[in-house]
């Protein structure tokens, strides 16, 4: 009897209307019907244009389904909806990315010259003598350059020029020692470098079950992709592109009933630089994995240990092989680079947002803010106003409202927009004298503005 049919509206809070409709369709009778509200727009704009309209015509109320059927079918559907429309769990991911690079280098070399310190590198052309009357260079005043063999052939000093060069880094840092004795000169360079770089990133992100969560902390390094030259020889600059470098964490969790969490995870830590031509180079540590981990446990999901040793030696044949004395005829350039990358992951199933301990995190932020302000110069307005406000709070806590009010006036003289100081001053005024002229004035101005705003309402 269709006269027994009823109509019921089910409001949904966590599950979508379309999904609920599909799940309760099996309990709808042949004579019954069910309709769902339109699916809302999903996602947000990733561009920089704030005028982007997304979801402008979507219903702002909760999703709902309207069911018309017999009472027993509606009751069965209601039972199903109560079991399905439940608050989903969330997962808080805490990742630790440690990247350490240890670079060790050693450069040692000796250059010798047995000809009064003159290097056998040839000579360059001389510009000649300038003609002050007619301009230019006087004819015959130029001196042509000599090749190394020509330099030896035109040698006018006593002795034979002998040079052992190319082993000492003349332009480098470290020890650089020059020695000369008669016609013998020597240059010795020695440099040992040790560079230890450690990068520690600790991103945290909260996401719903089965939903993607992504966090990125870093910079966008801009560069031009290319420069093109047309057939007429006109050069045009290429498109400006950006390379993201920093710390990125993307994941999608799947929570099971036994406390385990399966996750698609993608952590990345990178740094980028540009060379002299403007071409970017990226150094990165990243991995993609699908893992299973217990709630609250920390696991290592990736590790890289890389050790690169390079030993380069150059020497004069035979002479460089002589024990001890051969060190005068050789150069050494050794380097050792050790890289270590470790990625740790700790997931936490969150049933209640109170478990996130947001108040404690906010207190930590406030501590850091106060610590940063303490680092300001003592003579700056920011530091002086902070110290003055702190003193006023101390006076107020000790019961000296008059002294606190006097100190607050000085604070606001330094920073008229100091919100905390304004609030404390109004509080002291209300406690001591009931109302203050400034408080009354602010209240009256607000009332007048509300009255005047009615005139702007279009009739």
């Amino acid at each position: 009897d269709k006269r027994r049919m009823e109509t019921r509206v089910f409001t949904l809070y966590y599950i979508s209307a379309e999904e609920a409709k599909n799940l309760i369709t099996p309990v709808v009778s042949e004579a019954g019907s069910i309709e769902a509200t339109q699916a809302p727009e999903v996602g947000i704009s990733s561009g920089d244009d704030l005028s982007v309209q997304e979801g402008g015509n979507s219903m702002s109320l909760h999703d709902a389904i309207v069911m018309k059927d017999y009472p027993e079918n509606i009751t069965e559907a209601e039972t199903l909806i109560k079991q399905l429309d439940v608050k989903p769990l969330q997962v808080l991911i805490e990742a630790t990315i440690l990247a350490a690079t240890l670079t060790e280098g050693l450069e040692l070399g000796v250059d010798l010259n047995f000809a009064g310190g003159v290097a056998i590198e040839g000579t360059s052309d001389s510009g000649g003598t300038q003609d002050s009357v007619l301009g230019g260079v006087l004819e015959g005043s130029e001196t042509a350059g000599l090749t190394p063999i020509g330099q030896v052939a035109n040698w006018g000093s006593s002795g034979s020029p002998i040079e052992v060069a190319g082993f000492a880094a003349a332009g480098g840092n470290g020890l650089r020692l020059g020695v000369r004795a008669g016609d013998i000169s020597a240059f010795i360079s020695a440099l040992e470098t040790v560079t230890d770089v450690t990068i520690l990133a600790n991103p945290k992100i909260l996401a719903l079950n089965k939903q993607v969560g992504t966090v990125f902390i870093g910079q966008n390094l801009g560069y031009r992709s290319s420069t093109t030259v047309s057939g007429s020889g006109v050069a045009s600059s290429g498109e400006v592109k950006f390379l993201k470098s920093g710390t990125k964490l993307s994941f999608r969790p799947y929570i099971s009933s036994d406390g385990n969490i399966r996750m698609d995870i993608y952590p990345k830590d990178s740094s980028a630089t540009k060379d002299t031509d403007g071409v970017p180079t990226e150094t990165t540590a990243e991995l993609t994995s699908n893992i299973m981990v217990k709630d609250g446990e920390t696991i290592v999901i990736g590790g890289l240990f890389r050790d690169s040793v390079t030993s380069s030696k150059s020497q004069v044949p035979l002479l460089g092989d002589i024990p001890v004395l051969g060190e005068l005829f050789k150069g050494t350039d050794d380097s050792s680079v050790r890289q270590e990358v470790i990625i740790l992951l700790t997931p936490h199933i969150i049933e209640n947002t109170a478990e996130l301990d947001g108040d404690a995190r906010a207190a930590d932020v406030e501590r850091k803010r106060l610590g940063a302000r303490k680092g300001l110069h003592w003579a700056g307005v920011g530091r002086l106003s902070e110290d003055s406000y702190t003193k006023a709070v101390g006076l107020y806590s000790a019961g000296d409202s008059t002294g606190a009010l006097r100190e607050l006036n000085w604070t606001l003289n330094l920073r008229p927009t100091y919100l905390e100081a304004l609030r404390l001053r109004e509080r002291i005024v209300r406690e001591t004298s009931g109302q203050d002229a400034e408080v009354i004035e602010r209240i009256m101005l607000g009332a007048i503005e509300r009255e005047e705003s009615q005139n702007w309402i279009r009739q």
Side-chain angles (χ1 to χ4, degrees):
D1 187 3
K2 292 187 177 181
R3 290 177 296 180
R4 295 178 51 244
M5 299 181 72
E6 299 178 357
T7 301
R8 179 79 63 86
V9 177
F10 295 101
T11 302
L12 306 171
Y13 299 97
Y14 302 109
I15 191 174
S16 68
E18 193 63 33
E19 192 170 2
K21 175 183 176 180
N22 295 333
L23 292 174
I24 65 175
T25 297
V27 303
V28 179
S29 66
E30 294 183 358
S33 63
I34 182 172
E35 296 295 335
T37 55
Q38 184 179 0
E41 298 286 342
V42 297
I44 59 176
S45 173
S46 60
D48 298 327
D49 188 0
L50 297 180
S51 64
V52 175
Q53 300 294 326
E54 294 186 356
N57 294 324
S58 298
M59 185 178 69
S60 301
L61 302 177
H62 295 291
D63 280 12
I65 57 175
V66 180
M67 181 177 178
K68 183 177 181 180
D69 211 328
Y70 297 106
E72 57 271 20
N73 297 88
I74 291 179
T75 301
E76 189 174 358
E78 182 179 13
T79 302
L80 283 176
I81 290 177
K82 287 182 179 180
Q83 296 177 356
L84 295 172
D85 191 32
V86 295
K87 183 174 69 173
L89 297 175
Q90 300 183 90
V91 174
L92 175 67
I93 295 294
E94 181 177 358
T96 301
I97 304 175
L98 175 65
T101 302
L102 177 62
T103 303
E104 298 176 334
L106 174 64
E107 296 180 5
L108 179 62
V110 179
D111 288 352
L112 297 174
N113 193 291
F114 297 91
V118 178
I120 309 176
E121 298 177 347
T123 60
S124 59
D125 296 339
S126 64
T129 304
Q130 192 76 17
D131 190 340
S132 60
V133 178
L134 301 177
V137 179
L138 291 175
E139 185 178 354
S141 64
E142 305 92 336
T143 301
L146 294 175
T147 62
I149 188 64
Q151 181 184 2
V152 175
N154 289 275
W155 190 258
S157 302
S158 61
S160 299
I162 300 176
E163 182 183 17
V164 180
F167 303 128
N173 297 318
L175 173 64
R176 288 181 291 177
L177 178 63
V179 180
R180 180 175 180 179
D183 289 339
I184 300 176
S185 60
F187 177 72
I188 304 172
S189 67
L191 174 64
E192 183 177 13
T193 59
V194 178
T195 304
D196 192 354
V197 179
T198 301
I199 301 174
L200 178 63
N202 185 223
K204 298 179 182 179
I205 184 172
L206 181 68
L208 287 171
N209 185 33
K210 297 183 180 180
Q211 302 299 314
V212 174
T214 300
V215 60
F216 171 73
I217 303 172
Q219 67 171 347
N220 288 333
L221 184 66
Y223 65 97
R224 291 194 178 275
S225 58
S226 62
T227 301
T228 59
V229 180
S230 63
S232 59
V234 179
S236 59
S237 299
E239 178 186 0
V240 176
K241 295 185 178 181
F242 294 91
L243 175 63
K244 289 186 175 182
S245 64
T247 301
K248 180 179 180 180
L249 174 63
S250 298
F251 77 103
R252 186 192 296 270
Y254 302 88
I255 303 174
S256 61
S257 59
D258 58 357
N260 285 311
I261 307 170
R262 183 175 68 86
M263 287 186 296
D264 296 323
I265 189 79
Y266 172 61
K268 177 181 178 180
D269 186 80
S270 64
S271 60
T273 58
K274 290 193 296 184
D275 60 18
T276 55
D277 295 327
V279 179
T281 301
E282 182 182 28
T283 302
T284 178
E286 58 185 298
L287 65 86
T288 300
S289 182
N290 191 307
I291 62 173
M292 179 78 73
V293 59
K294 191 76 173 178
D295 175 30
E297 290 185 352
T298 300
I299 61 170
V300 180
I301 62 173
L304 167 66
F305 296 89
R306 182 179 180 183
D307 203 353
S308 175
V309 179
T310 303
S311 180
S312 176
K313 291 182 174 60
S314 56
Q315 67 178 33
V316 177
L318 300 179
L319 295 179
D321 296 326
I322 301 175
V324 183
L325 186 62
E327 299 296 328
L328 298 175
F329 302 96
K330 69 169 58 175
T332 301
D333 188 356
D334 298 337
S335 66
S336 174
V337 180
R338 178 175 176 81
Q339 295 177 321
E340 300 179 4
V341 178
I342 301 176
I343 301 176
L344 307 176
L345 194 67
T346 306
H348 303 276
I349 298 177
I350 304 297
E351 298 183 7
N352 193 331
T353 54
E355 300 176 32
L356 297 175
D357 202 10
D359 293 338
R361 301 287 79 78
D364 290 341
V365 172
E366 182 65 16
R367 293 188 187 97
K368 291 184 177 180
R369 185 184 71 86
L370 292 176
R373 292 199 173 186
K374 287 296 183 182
L376 298 175
H377 193 276
W378 64 270
V381 173
R383 176 67 180 273
L384 291 175
S385 59
E386 282 288 334
D387 293 343
S388 177
Y389 175 69
T390 302
K391 184 178 179 180
V393 172
L395 292 172
Y396 177 72
S397 301
D400 186 1
S401 299
T402 303
L405 191 59
R406 186 184 304 110
E407 192 65 38
L408 285 172
N409 289 333
W410 171 243
T411 304
L412 294 173
N413 180 59
L414 295 172
R415 286 178 58 189
T417 58
Y418 200 147
L419 183 59
E420 290 84 353
L422 289 169
R423 289 174 176 172
L424 181 58
R425 188 178 69 168
E426 289 188 6
R427 179 177 179 178
I428 295 175
V429 169
R430 285 195 299 268
E431 292 176 353
T432 55
S433 59
Q435 292 289 342
D436 180 76
E438 290 187 14
V439 179
I440 296 175
E441 180 183 3
R442 182 170 51 80
I443 295 175
M444 292 301 297
L445 286 174
I448 293 173
E449 288 179 359
R450 286 192 296 272
E451 292 177 1
E452 292 294 333
S453 64
Q454 299 298 322
N455 299 329
W456 294 95
I457 299 178
R458 183 173 298 176
Q459 301 297 331

